[in-house]
């Protein structure tokens, strides 16, 4: 019997970054109304009425958007008497940013390698042959 050494398992942090949380975050960010609400909340707390005001939507529709943001963990809602006040909760947005940044770096590195290979290939061609590989 031959023992074949096992390779260490490849661990991908991005897969482990709670895929369901990322799915919910990206779903919430997929709507322009919700992105605008988040931008407004980046300037400070807002009531549901204040978040709904820039849009031609009912308070019920605004509440559905707010609930999607809340379910994604992007905002927190606090009830103060009869008023619902929302504020930004940046932790999940930071997780999404980390996920995106991983792939930005990944593809940036790959493109840097490709650029280097192309430069080396160009430097290997002699000016006498006009850069043609026809011999």
């Amino acid at each position: 019997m031959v023992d074949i050494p096992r390779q260490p398992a490849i661990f991908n942090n991005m897969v482990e970054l709670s895929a369901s949380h990322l799915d919910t975050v990206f779903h919430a960010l997929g709507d322009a109304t919700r992105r605008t609400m988040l931008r407004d909340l980046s300037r400070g707390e807002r009531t549901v009425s204040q978040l709904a005001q820039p849009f031609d939507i009912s308070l019920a529709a605004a509440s559905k958007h707010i609930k999607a943001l809340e379910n994604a963990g992007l905002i927190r809602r606090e009830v103060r008497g009869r008023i619902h006040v929302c504020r930004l909760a940046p932790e999940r947005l930071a997780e999404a940013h980390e996920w995106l940044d991983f792939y930005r770096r990944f593809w940036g590195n790959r493109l840097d390698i490709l650029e280097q290979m192309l430069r080396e290939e160009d430097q290997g061609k002699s000016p006498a042959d006009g850069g043609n590989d026809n011999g």
Side-chain angles (χ1 to χ4, degrees):
M1 175 175 232
V2 177
D3 286 332
I4 301 172
R6 295 188 73 197
Q7 296 292 325
I10 297 173
F11 182 75
N12 185 341
N13 281 339
M14 298 304 105
V15 171
E16 297 304 315
L17 248 183
S18 186
S20 65
H21 287 196
L22 285 174
D23 291 347
T24 307
V25 167
F26 285 121
H27 173 75
L29 294 174
D31 183 87
T33 300
R34 292 191 284 263
R35 289 191 307 270
T36 301
M37 288 178 169
L38 283 177
R39 192 173 309 116
D40 288 347
L41 288 169
S42 72
R43 296 182 198 102
E45 293 182 343
R46 300 284 190 269
T47 65
V48 171
S49 297
Q50 289 171 323
L51 288 172
Q53 190 274 327
F55 309 102
D56 188 23
I57 59 176
S58 67
L59 285 178
S63 287
K64 287 183 180 182
H65 284 293
I66 290 166
K67 191 67 175 170
L69 293 169
E70 207 172 11
N71 288 341
L74 295 170
I75 68 168
R76 290 191 180 86
R77 186 185 336 201
E78 179 183 335
V79 180
R80 297 178 188 163
R82 291 178 29 184
I83 299 173
H84 290 230
V85 179
C86 301
R87 68 178 180 280
L88 199 58
E91 298 84 13
R92 289 285 159 82
L93 202 51
E95 289 176 7
H97 182 269
E98 180 183 344
W99 187 86
L100 290 168
D101 195 49
F102 172 84
Y103 288 101
R104 181 194 58 77
R105 286 188 316 255
F106 173 83
W107 286 110
N109 290 338
R110 295 294 188 264
L111 292 172
D112 289 345
I113 292 168
L114 177 59
E115 180 182 25
Q116 182 62 33
M117 289 173 59
L118 292 173
R119 285 184 184 187
E120 289 172 4
E121 184 178 299
D122 283 347
Q123 290 171 354
K125 295 179 182 176
S126 73
D129 67 11
N132 292 330
D133 288 332
N134 296 339

